[in-house]
C-alpha cells in the first residue's frame, strides 16, 4: 500500500513513525505484501498485553491486511474512520498514526482526495504539541508533495524552508540535506536549473563526507541529467562517468542497460561517436538477452503443455520469426544512429557559423544593458537620496528650530505664571500653557513622522513591493516578492533598516550579478524574521570576499549583527547567489 502511495511523493524521502515493539513491527513490515501472515500473527496476540497506542497500530495492520489495496480499499478507508472515532482525542500519538494511514488510504479511494491537506495540517499541529521534530518534518514534506503535484512551486518552497528551519533547530543534518534535495527538485520543476545545481553540489559534499557511495551514485546521475537540460554536455558526460564508477555491483540487468544508455547518450552529445555506437550495440545485446530469457520461458511453458513434434516445430518457427524481428529492430536502430550522427555533423557546422554572428550581437547588447542599468541605478539612488534629504531637513528644522523656540518660550511663560498674583489671570495662563504644550507635541510628532520617510505611510511590505515593481519595469531584472506571516507593523527603525538592507542587496544584484530574475522571501516567525534574497546570476566566490571589497555586504552584515541577527551567503561562481538573514523580533 505504501509503495503505491509513494509514487505521488516520488521525490520525498519516506519517514516511518518510530516502531517500538517487535510484534507490532512485524505486523507493520508484513501487512503490505503478506496479508495471510499478518492476519495469522494478529490471531496469536492478546490486545490486553499492549498499550492503547500499540493496540491501534495492531488494528491498523489487521485492517490493511484484510481490506488492503489488493482487496477492498474503500473498506479499509472506512475502517480507519471508525478507528479514528474511537480514538481518545488526548492520545495524540495514536491519532497521528491513524491520520498517517488515512493519508495513504486516500490514494485508493479518490484520484484527487478531498481533505488531504486538512489531515496534514492536523498532523502538523499534533507533531508540534508532541515536540517531535521528525513527525513535524514529515508533515511538511507531505504537504510539499501535494503542492508540487498541483504545480504550486512557490508555496512548496515555503513549506520546505519551514521544514529546513526545524531540522536546523534540532541539528538534524540528514534531514537538512533531505529537505535541500527536495528543494533541488522544486527548482528543477520551475526551470531554475542554476539554483537546483547549488543544492545538488551541497548534497554531493554531504554524501562524500559520510562516504555514502550509494547516495553519491544517485546524486551524480541526477546532476548529470540537470547538466543535460542545461545543454552543458561536457559536465553531463563527466557526472555520468562518475556515476558509472560508483554503480553498485548488484544492479539488475534493466538498471545496467539504463546506465549504459545514459553513457552512450553522453558520448554522443560530446561527439565521441565511436564510443557511443559501441555502447548502443552493447545495450542492444543486453536487450536481446532479456528477450532471449523471455522467449526461453515461453518455450518451457509450451513444452510443458504440448509434447508433439508438430507443436515443437511451430515453436521453432516462432523463434525464427522473433530473431528476424530482432535483426530488423537492430538494423533500424543502427540506421537511426547513423542518420543522427550525420545530421549532428551538419548541424555543428551551421552552428559554428551562427556563433560568430551571435557573439557580436551579444557584445553590443551587453554594452547597451550595462548603460541602461547604470542609468536606472543612478535614477533610483538620486530619487531616494533626494527624498531622504528633504525629509531629514524638514524634521531637523521642526525639531531643532521651532521645537527649541517653543521650549524656551514655555520656560519664560512658566516664570511669568509663578509671578502672577491675581486669581483671574491664572485661568488665562493655564489656557495659554495648554496651547503651548499642544503645539509642541504636534511639532514633535510631525518631526518623527517626516523622519521615517516612505515607510511611515506605506509600511514595509508595500514599500518593498513598490521597489520591486519599479526595478521590474526596466525589463532587465524581474523581481518577485513573497511574504508569509508578516501581518503586523514592526517598529519604525527596524522596518527602515530592513528596507535599506533589501534595497542595497537589489542594487548589488543589478550592478554585479548579471541576473534576469530575483526573489525576495520574507517569513515571520514568533521570535524572528527570515529574509532570503536569491538570484540566478553569475554568483561569486564567497571565500575570497574581503571587508573592503564586499560590495556593501560587509557593512550589511555588521548592521544585522548589531540587531542580534545572523547573515549567511550561499554562492558559487556561475550558480547564482542566495543570502539568508535572520533578525530577532
Amino acid at each position: 500500500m505504501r509503495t503505491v502511495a509513494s509514487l505521488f511523493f516520488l521525490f520525498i524521502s519516506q519517514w516511518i513513525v518510530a516502531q517500538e515493539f517487535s510484534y507490532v513491527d512485524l505486523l507493520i513490515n508484513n501487512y503490505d505484501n503478506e496479508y495471510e501472515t499478518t492476519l495469522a500473527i494478529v490471531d496469536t496476540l492478546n490486545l490486553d498485553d499492549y498499550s492503547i497506542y500499540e493496540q491501534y497500530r495492531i488494528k491498523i495492520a489487521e485492517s490493511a491486511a484484510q481490506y488492503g489495496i489488493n482487496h477492498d480499499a474503500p473498506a479499509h478507508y472506512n475502517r480507519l474512520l471508525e478507528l479514528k472515532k474511537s480514538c481518545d482525542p488526548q492520545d495524540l500519538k495514536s491519532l497521528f498514526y491513524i491520520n498517517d494511514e488515512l493519508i495513504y488510504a486516500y490514494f485508493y479511494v479518490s484520484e484527487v482526495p478531498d481533505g488531504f491537506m486538512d489531515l496534514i495540517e492536523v498532523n502538523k499541529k499534533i507533531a508540534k504539541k508532541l515536540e517531535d521534530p521528525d513527525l513535524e518534518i514529515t508533515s511538511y514534506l507531505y504537504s510539499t508533495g501535494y503542492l508540487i503535484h498541483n504545480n504550486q512551486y512557490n508555496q512548496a518552497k515555503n513549506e520546505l524552508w519551514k521544514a529546513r528551519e526545524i531540522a536546523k533547530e534540532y541539528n538534524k543534518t540528514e534531514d537538512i540535506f533531505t529537505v535541500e534535495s527536495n528543494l533541488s527538485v522544486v527548482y528543477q520543476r520551475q526551470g531554475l536549473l542554476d539554483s537546483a545545481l547549488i543544492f545538488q553540489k551541497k548534497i554531493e559534499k554531504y554524501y562524500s563526507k559520510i562516504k555514502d557511495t550509494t547516495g553519491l551514485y544517485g546524486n551524480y546521475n541526477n546532476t548529470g541529467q540537470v547538466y543535460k537540460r542545461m545543454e552543458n554536455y561536457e559536465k553531463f558526460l563527466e557526472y555520468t562517468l562518475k556515476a558509472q564508477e560508483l554503480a553498485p555491483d548488484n544492479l539488475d540487468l534493466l538498471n545496467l542497460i539504463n546506465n549504459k544508455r545514459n553513457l552512450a547518450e553522453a558520448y554522443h552529445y560530446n561527439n565521441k561517436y565511436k564510443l557511443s555506437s559501441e555502447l548502443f550495440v552493447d545495450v542492444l545485446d543486453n536487450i536481446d538477452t532479456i528477450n532471449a530469457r523471455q522467449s526461453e520461458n515461453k518455450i518451457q511453458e509450451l513444452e510443458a503443455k504440448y509434447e508433439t513434434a508438430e507443436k515443437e516445430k511451430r515453436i521453432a518457427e516462432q523463434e525464427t520469426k522473433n530473431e528476424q524481428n530482432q535483426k530488423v529492430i537492430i538494423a533500424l536502430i543502427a540506421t537511426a544512429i547513423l542518420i543522427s550522427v550525420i545530421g549532428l555533423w551538419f548541424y555543428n557546422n551551421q552552428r559554428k557559423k551562427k556563433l560568430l554572428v551571435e557573439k557580436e550581437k551579444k557584445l553590443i547588447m551587453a554594452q547597451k544593458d550595462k548603460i541602461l542599468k547604470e542609468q536606472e541605478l543612478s535614477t533610483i539612488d538620486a530619487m531616494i537620496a533626494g527624498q531622504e534629504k528633504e525629509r531629514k531637513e524638514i524634521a531637523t528644522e521642526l525639531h531643532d528650530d521651532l521645537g527649541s523656540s517653543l521650549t524656551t518660550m514655555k520656560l519664560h511663560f512658566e516664570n511669568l505664571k509663578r509671578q502672577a498674583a491675581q486669581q483671574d489671570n491664572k485661568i488665562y495662563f493655564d489656557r495659554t500653557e495648554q496651547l503651548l504644550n499642544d503645539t509642541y507635541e504636534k511639532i514633535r510628532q510631525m518631526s518623527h513622522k517626516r523622519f521615517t520617510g516612505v515607510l511611515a505611510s506605506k509600511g514595509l511590505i508595500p514599500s518593498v513591493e513598490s521597489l520591486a515593481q519599479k526595478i521590474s519595469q526596466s525589463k532587465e531584472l524581474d523581481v518577485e516578492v513573497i511574504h508569509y506571516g508578516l501581518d503586523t507593523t514592526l517598529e519604525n527603525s527596524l522596518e527602515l533598516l530592513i528596507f535599506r538592507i533589501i534595497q542595497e542587496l537589489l542594487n548589488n544584484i543589478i550592478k554585479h550579478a548579471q541576473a534576469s530574475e530575483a526573489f525576495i522571501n520574507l517569513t515571520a516567525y514568533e521570535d524572528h524574521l527570515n529574509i532570503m534574497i536569491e538570484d540566478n546570476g553569475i554568483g561569486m566566490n564567497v571565500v575570497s570576499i574581503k571587508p573592503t571589497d564586499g560590495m556593501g555586504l560587509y557593512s550589511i552584515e555588521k548592521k544585522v549583527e548589531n540587531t542580534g541577527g545572523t547573515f549567511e551567503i550561499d554562492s558559487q561562481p556561475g550558480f547564482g547567489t542566495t543570502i539568508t538573514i535572520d533578525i530577532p523580533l
Side-chain angles (χ1 to χ4, degrees):
M1 208 171 158
R2 291 178 186 271
T3 303
V4 178
S6 65
L7 292 174
F8 180 70
F9 299 104
L10 182 62
F11 70 101
I12 292 183
S13 302
Q14 298 297 311
W15 271 263
I16 300 175
V17 178
Q19 314 296 321
E20 300 176 0
F21 300 89
S22 58
Y23 269 128
V24 181
D25 291 343
L26 187 58
L27 288 174
I28 299 302
N29 291 332
N30 281 284
Y31 78 69
D32 281 341
N33 300 311
E34 302 177 14
Y35 302 102
E36 295 179 359
T37 303
T38 302
L39 294 173
I41 294 174
V42 171
D43 290 338
T44 66
L45 301 179
N46 182 4
L47 293 182
D48 294 336
D49 296 334
Y50 295 93
S51 67
I52 298 297
Y53 167 64
E54 294 172 283
Q55 290 180 26
Y56 280 120
R57 294 183 62 207
I58 292 171
K59 291 178 181 178
I60 289 173
E62 180 184 13
S63 172
Q66 187 175 358
Y67 309 111
I69 186 61
N70 292 337
H71 297 78
D72 188 358
H76 175 52
Y77 169 75
N78 292 328
R79 174 64 175 147
L80 289 171
L81 291 180
E82 292 176 5
L83 286 173
K84 189 171 181 179
K85 291 178 181 178
S86 65
C87 181
D88 184 357
Q90 303 302 320
D91 187 4
L92 297 180
K93 197 171 185 182
S94 297
L95 187 59
F96 183 96
Y97 192 77
I98 294 173
N99 285 340
D100 183 72
E101 189 68 21
L102 271 169
I103 290 171
Y104 285 103
Y106 265 127
F107 289 103
Y108 315 122
V109 177
S110 174
E111 182 179 353
V112 183
D114 295 328
F116 179 87
M117 288 299 293
D118 294 336
L119 276 176
I120 291 178
E121 291 301 322
V122 169
N123 270 9
K124 283 182 184 178
K125 295 177 181 177
I126 292 175
K128 195 170 188 66
K129 287 184 179 179
L130 292 174
E131 296 182 353
D132 190 329
D134 292 326
L135 299 185
E136 198 169 358
I137 292 171
T138 300
S139 301
Y140 276 109
L141 289 173
Y142 284 161
S143 60
T144 299
Y146 180 85
L147 292 169
I148 288 181
H149 180 70
N150 290 280
N151 300 324
Q152 297 174 325
Y153 299 124
N154 287 330
Q155 294 90 329
K157 282 196 296 186
N158 283 335
E159 292 293 278
L160 288 171
W161 281 113
K162 292 176 186 176
R164 187 173 180 269
E165 284 289 323
I166 297 169
K168 287 180 66 177
E169 181 181 353
Y170 289 91
N171 295 322
K172 291 184 169 292
T173 303
E174 184 177 353
D175 290 348
I176 291 173
F177 282 97
T178 299
V179 172
E180 290 183 347
S181 177
N182 296 325
L183 278 169
S184 173
V185 173
V186 176
Y187 281 122
Q188 288 185 53
R189 294 288 184 90
Q190 287 186 299
L192 302 175
L193 302 179
D194 289 338
S195 298
L197 271 180
I198 291 175
F199 288 107
Q200 289 280 24
K201 292 292 185 181
K202 293 175 69 174
I203 296 164
E204 178 183 336
K205 291 180 181 178
Y206 171 69
Y207 283 138
S208 299
K209 183 178 180 180
I210 65 175
K211 299 181 180 179
D212 184 350
T213 56
T214 302
L216 277 173
Y217 165 70
N219 177 266
Y220 286 153
N221 270 325
N222 292 336
T223 304
Q225 292 301 315
V226 174
Y227 277 124
K228 175 186 171 184
R229 289 184 62 187
M230 297 174 69
E231 298 184 357
N232 189 338
Y233 299 126
E234 292 182 1
K235 287 290 185 181
F236 174 34
L237 176 58
E238 176 186 341
Y239 276 87
T240 304
L241 287 171
K242 286 182 177 181
Q244 289 287 326
E245 293 175 359
L246 296 179
D249 296 331
N250 59 346
L251 282 180
D252 56 37
L253 185 58
L254 187 59
N255 279 319
L256 286 172
I257 291 174
N258 287 333
N259 283 347
K260 290 181 180 180
R261 184 184 288 114
N262 285 339
L263 186 56
E265 191 178 18
Y267 280 137
H268 178 74
Y269 280 118
N270 284 273
N271 302 328
K272 298 182 179 182
Y273 304 120
K274 183 178 180 181
L275 292 173
S276 177
S277 299
E278 290 174 353
L279 280 172
F280 271 121
V281 171
D282 195 11
V283 168
L284 293 174
D285 289 339
N286 286 322
I287 293 175
D288 290 342
T289 301
I290 293 176
N291 291 335
R293 290 177 182 175
Q294 294 174 348
S295 299
E296 183 179 355
N297 292 334
K298 290 181 181 179
I299 292 171
Q300 290 176 354
E301 292 175 3
L302 290 172
E303 287 178 346
K305 295 179 181 179
Y306 309 102
E307 297 179 355
T308 63
E310 183 177 351
K311 290 178 181 179
E312 289 179 356
K313 180 180 179 181
R314 290 179 182 175
I315 292 171
E317 290 176 353
Q318 186 63 40
E319 287 181 348
T320 302
K321 289 180 180 179
N322 288 340
E323 291 177 359
Q324 291 175 349
N325 289 336
Q326 291 173 7
K327 290 179 181 178
V328 171
I329 292 172
I330 292 172
L332 289 174
I333 293 175
T335 303
I337 292 174
L338 181 61
I339 293 173
S340 298
V341 170
I342 295 173
L344 185 62
W345 181 78
F346 281 111
Y347 170 75
N348 284 334
N349 284 341
Q350 293 297 322
R351 188 179 63 175
K352 288 178 181 178
K353 294 178 181 179
K354 290 181 180 180
L355 283 176
L356 294 174
V357 178
E358 290 177 358
K359 283 182 179 179
E360 293 180 358
K361 290 182 178 179
K362 286 180 179 179
L363 287 173
I364 296 172
M365 290 300 296
Q367 292 175 353
K368 181 180 178 181
D369 291 345
K370 184 178 180 182
I371 294 171
L372 289 174
K373 286 180 179 178
E374 289 176 352
Q375 291 176 347
E376 180 184 358
L377 282 172
S378 300
T379 302
I380 293 174
D381 289 343
M383 177 185 68
I384 294 174
Q387 290 176 347
E388 290 301 319
K389 182 179 178 181
E390 180 183 359
R391 291 190 180 99
K392 193 173 291 184
E393 288 176 354
I394 294 172
T396 301
E397 289 176 3
L398 287 172
H399 186 272
D400 294 347
D401 295 342
L402 292 178
S404 61
S405 296
L406 284 172
T407 301
T408 304
M409 188 185 302
K410 184 179 178 183
L411 290 174
H412 289 306
F413 183 79
E414 287 176 352
N415 288 330
L416 289 173
K417 183 179 177 182
R418 282 194 296 269
Q419 295 173 8
Q422 292 85 358
Q423 183 62 29
D424 294 339
N425 291 337
K426 185 176 183 304
I427 297 174
Y428 298 106
F429 276 113
D430 290 340
R431 290 178 180 175
T432 308
E433 182 180 23
Q434 183 61 41
L435 286 173
L436 281 172
N437 288 335
D438 291 343
T439 304
Y440 178 77
E441 183 61 27
K442 287 180 181 179
I443 290 175
R444 192 179 70 85
Q445 291 176 357
M446 289 173 61
S447 173
H448 283 286
K449 184 176 179 181
R450 289 295 179 181
F451 195 79
T452 56
V454 69
L455 293 176
S457 58
K458 290 186 177 181
L460 177 60
I461 295 301
S463 297
V464 173
E465 289 178 338
S466 176
L467 179 62
Q469 183 181 9
K470 289 179 181 178
I471 294 175
S472 300
Q473 287 174 351
S474 68
K475 306 298 183 181
E476 299 296 329
L477 177 66
D478 184 24
V479 182
E480 181 179 353
V481 180
I482 303 169
H483 60 90
Y484 177 83
L486 204 60
D487 301 326
T488 58
T489 303
L490 304 178
E491 196 271 329
N492 286 342
S493 60
L494 182 58
E495 284 194 342
L496 185 60
L497 173 65
I498 294 170
F499 180 78
R500 289 289 180 258
I501 289 173
I502 294 173
Q503 184 184 50
E504 180 65 22
L505 291 175
L506 286 176
N507 285 342
N508 282 346
I509 293 173
I510 296 172
K511 288 180 180 178
H512 309 290
Q514 299 180 24
S516 61
E517 292 181 346
F519 297 89
I520 303 173
N521 291 275
L522 297 100
T523 304
Y525 297 93
E526 292 182 359
D527 58 350
H528 72 281
L529 174 67
N530 176 264
I531 306 169
M532 187 183 74
I533 300 179
E534 55 184 335
D535 64 73
N536 63 348
I538 60 175
M540 58 184 167
N541 189 348
V542 179
V543 178
S544 64
I545 294 179
K546 300 177 182 178
T548 56
D549 60 2
M551 298 175 293
L553 297 179
Y554 180 73
S555 62
I556 293 174
E557 182 178 6
K558 288 301 179 184
K559 291 177 182 177
V560 173
E561 289 178 353
N562 288 337
T563 67
T566 60
F567 180 88
E568 294 180 2
I569 304 175
D570 186 359
S571 180
Q572 291 184 11
F575 301 105
T577 301
T578 300
I579 294 177
T580 304
I581 300 171
D582 284 316
I583 296 178
L585 298 178

